[in-house]
Amino acid sequence: MTADFETQLRAVSLRVTRPRLAVLAALRDHPHVDTDTVIALVRADQPTVSHQAVYDVLRALTDAGLIRRIQPAGATARYESRVGDNHHHVVCRSCGAIADVECAVGRAPCLTASDDHGFVVDEAEVVYWGTCPGCAADRTAQRSASSEGNR
Ligand SMILES: [Zn+2]
Ligand SMILES: [Zn+2]
């Protein structure tokens, strides 16, 4: 698996470094995490890596297209290593949980804007907002708890 990451890095002319490999591995195992979480995951394995080094790696990998930075309105930026398929996200308004939503296989119909105003469109950003199953269950639990006077 590390060999895959090395191939990916070389394909975009980035030097193979341990922090870069660690960030790619962290995002493969934990999609849609924010910068602080990436730092914690990398440091669990490589305690000497600085915050700045992780920031730099995230920027370099994003610029190279190996990872994707997503930033739902009002949320902190998250990163994922699933790139290039124009998939969308569903975001929980309560806890910020994010999950992938497939776009159509093959040509992405949402990229065909009803009016592109002459722009060459290469990405359509669609975010579905809602409440995740965990938060929905919590709310139901809270409601019944408060009706019993526990909260
Ligand atoms: Zn939630
Ligand atoms: Zn995603």
Side-chain angles (χ1 to χ4, degrees):
M1 276 179 266
T2 306
D4 282 354
F5 295 145
E6 289 178 11
T7 310
Q8 283 184 26
L9 288 167
R10 291 208 178 92
V12 293
S13 308
L14 283 180
R15 215 155 42 84
V16 174
T17 65
R18 290 190 67 215
R20 284 173 180 167
L21 294 174
V23 168
L24 286 170
L27 291 176
R28 178 199 56 209
D29 297 337
H30 306 270
H32 314 128
V33 287
D34 62 13
T35 306
D36 287 347
T37 307
V38 175
I39 290 171
L41 290 165
V42 169
R43 288 186 141 191
D45 186 43
Q46 299 175 32
T48 56
V49 174
S50 68
H51 286 218
Q52 190 57 49
V54 176
Y55 289 126
D56 292 345
V57 168
L58 286 170
R59 190 173 321 115
L61 295 180
T62 304
D63 289 348
L66 291 185
I67 63 173
R68 180 176 172 199
R69 182 181 192 273
I70 54 172
Q71 185 150 26
T76 53
R78 316 289 189 93
Y79 294 89
E80 65 183 342
S81 55
R82 187 180 157 181
V83 295
D85 63 355
N86 197 61
H87 75 269
H88 307 310
H89 294 102
V90 58
V91 184
C92 176
R93 291 185 193 281
S94 296
C95 70
I98 299 182
D100 288 334
V101 179
E102 303 296 328
C103 193
V105 178
R107 215 166 170 286
C110 57
L111 283 176
T112 308
S114 54
D115 181 357
D116 63 15
H117 298 274
F119 286 47
V120 178
V121 175
D122 59 31
E123 184 176 338
E125 190 172 276
V126 177
V127 179
Y128 302 93
W129 291 91
T131 306
C132 75
C135 287
D138 280 357
R139 267 186 210 171
T140 312
Q142 273 174 25
R143 224 173 278 135
S144 52
S146 59
S147 66
E148 288 158 21
N150 292 339
R151 271 182 189 255

